[in-house]
Amino acid sequence: MGAGHAHVLYRESGSPVHRLPPEVKIVAMVVFTLAVVATPRTAFWAFGAYALLVAVVATLARVGPGWLLSRALIELPFVLFAVALPFLGAGDRVELLGLRLSEDGLYGAWNILAKGTLGVLASLLLAATTTTRDLIVGLDRLHCPQILTQIATFMLRYLDVLVGEARRMRVARVSRGDDPRFLWQLRGFAAGVGALFLRAFERGERVYLAMLSRGYSGRMPAVWQGAGAATAGQWLVAATVPVLAAAVAATAVVLR
């Protein structure tokens, strides 16, 4: 993890958003999402304002709309559920494109689509501008429980190791005539999974004992947090988006 582990969503850049400390980006994303969730579903203008804020941040972060929209497809199951609501919802019916749809269902579908999409886009921007290691460092600086940050650290550190081990085991099986596409070879696949589990467990035990021998006491050393904690000025800069979002949400609630 000391090498600054990245992930598949991270986009290398020197943008102003990338340079912000991770803790301020995490707080900004959470507050922005809470403001979006608190907004009444009938305040259509407010969701347009949120979308504009997301677009501005994406432009500053040099993250293209195509990249964001393609990764936002992860919310497709929720989209399908939202599409079904106007047909399944109860209450008053309205005529739309020759179909009689539930008014509450239409509002519910809009609520899920708008808030879900904005939340996903905000999360994607955080992931695109912050490495996995920095995300964990940011959570640690925000005093997230140590047990959670340590589990995440070890998981991310050795995930690539386990994936590489599984890939080598598969190559070894295939080179010996195994073809995992056939159902009758499921037993060999299951045995491989069991062997991988045992190897992972033994590796984890060795790593833990090595850490204990080097003075590990159940907490990451202070050096893990590293330099570059957020300054007051950086907190103020990062607060721009969540403060604007909170103001939009408050105005939408008052005008409801």
Side-chain angles (χ1 to χ4, degrees):
M1 289 298 295
H5 229 52
H7 51 74
V8 294
L9 295 178
Y10 179 71
R11 293 174 62 84
E12 188 73 38
S13 176
S15 75
V17 182
H18 283 76
R19 290 195 296 268
L20 285 174
E23 61 268 29
V24 303
K25 290 186 280 188
I26 293 172
V27 172
M29 188 274 290
V30 170
V31 175
F32 173 83
T33 303
L34 291 176
V36 170
V37 172
T39 303
R41 62 186 184 180
T42 54
F44 302 108
W45 64 270
F47 295 105
Y50 297 141
L52 180 60
L53 288 175
V54 170
V56 170
V57 174
T59 301
L60 291 174
R62 301 168 192 166
V63 177
W67 186 92
L68 277 176
L69 294 177
S70 63
R71 271 66 179 182
L73 291 177
I74 192 175
E75 67 166 341
L76 189 58
F78 300 97
V79 173
L80 296 176
F81 173 73
V83 170
L85 284 180
F87 299 95
L88 303 177
D92 297 334
R93 296 275 167 172
V94 295
E95 191 82 20
L96 183 64
L97 301 176
L99 300 172
R100 291 192 55 79
L101 304 175
S102 166
E103 185 175 356
D104 284 341
L106 286 171
Y107 277 121
W110 161 253
N111 194 50
I112 292 175
L113 286 175
K115 295 181 179 180
T117 301
L118 288 167
V120 168
L121 292 178
S123 300
L124 285 173
L125 283 174
L126 175 63
T129 58
T130 315
T131 64
T132 304
R133 177 193 180 279
D134 286 343
L135 284 173
I136 297 175
V137 170
L139 291 172
D140 200 46
R141 289 174 180 169
L142 293 171
H143 304 289
C144 180
Q146 274 276 321
I147 186 65
L148 297 181
T149 56
Q150 290 186 52
I151 289 173
T153 300
F154 296 141
M155 179 189 71
L156 294 169
R157 174 62 181 88
Y158 291 102
L159 183 61
D160 289 342
V161 175
L162 293 179
V163 170
E165 191 80 30
R167 186 179 297 112
R168 288 191 295 272
M169 292 174 63
R170 183 183 183 280
V171 170
R173 291 201 317 270
V174 172
S175 67
R176 289 165 175 79
D178 179 71
D179 192 342
R181 294 176 298 175
F182 295 110
L183 185 60
W184 56 80
Q185 293 180 325
L186 185 61
R187 181 179 178 182
F189 174 77
V193 172
L196 180 63
F197 172 77
L198 290 176
R199 291 186 185 183
F201 182 84
E202 292 172 353
R203 186 190 297 270
E205 186 177 23
R206 290 195 301 272
V207 170
Y208 180 69
L209 292 175
M211 293 172 64
L212 288 180
S213 68
R214 289 163 174 79
Y216 178 67
S217 61
R219 288 185 61 87
M220 287 297 182
V223 69
W224 162 252
Q225 296 188 0
T231 63
Q234 289 171 323
W235 277 107
L236 288 175
V237 170
T240 303
V241 170
V243 166
L244 289 175
V248 170
T251 304
V253 170
V254 171
L255 296 179
R256 179 173 55 178

